[in-house]
Amino acid sequence: MNKINCLTEKYSSRFIGLVILPLALVLAFLGFLIVPVVGLIFSVPLFILAFTFIAAPESKVCRLILKKDSD
């Protein structure tokens, strides 16, 4: 694994999280309007998934590579 792969891994996971987040917001809004309980049941897991992707930590290998390059 090299530095470019580490950076693309980091950006791609954040991008996926940022794509899922608006979908969760739309689903929560529509679900709250139509059937509140069912809408929350479906939107809460999407919120959790989106924030998991956005806040995903880097792998140990990438941390070592990026730290070595900055020294």
Side-chain angles (χ1 to χ4, degrees):
M1 187 174 269
N2 58 20
K3 184 178 179 180
I4 295 172
N5 289 345
C6 288
L7 291 175
T8 57
E9 176 185 328
K10 182 171 136 180
Y11 292 135
S12 65
S13 69
R14 295 209 179 20
F15 178 74
I16 291 170
L18 291 174
V19 167
I20 294 173
L21 188 61
L23 293 174
L25 288 170
V26 168
L27 186 64
F29 179 73
L30 291 176
F32 188 72
L33 286 178
I34 299 170
V35 183
V37 176
V38 176
L40 288 176
I41 289 173
F42 287 114
S43 65
V44 169
L46 280 178
F47 279 119
I48 293 171
L49 184 66
F51 288 120
T52 302
F53 274 114
I54 291 170
E58 297 174 342
S59 66
K60 291 180 181 180
V61 174
C62 285
R63 254 186 270 142
L64 288 173
I65 289 172
L66 294 175
K67 182 180 177 185
K68 184 173 52 172
D69 287 341
S70 66
D71 289 343

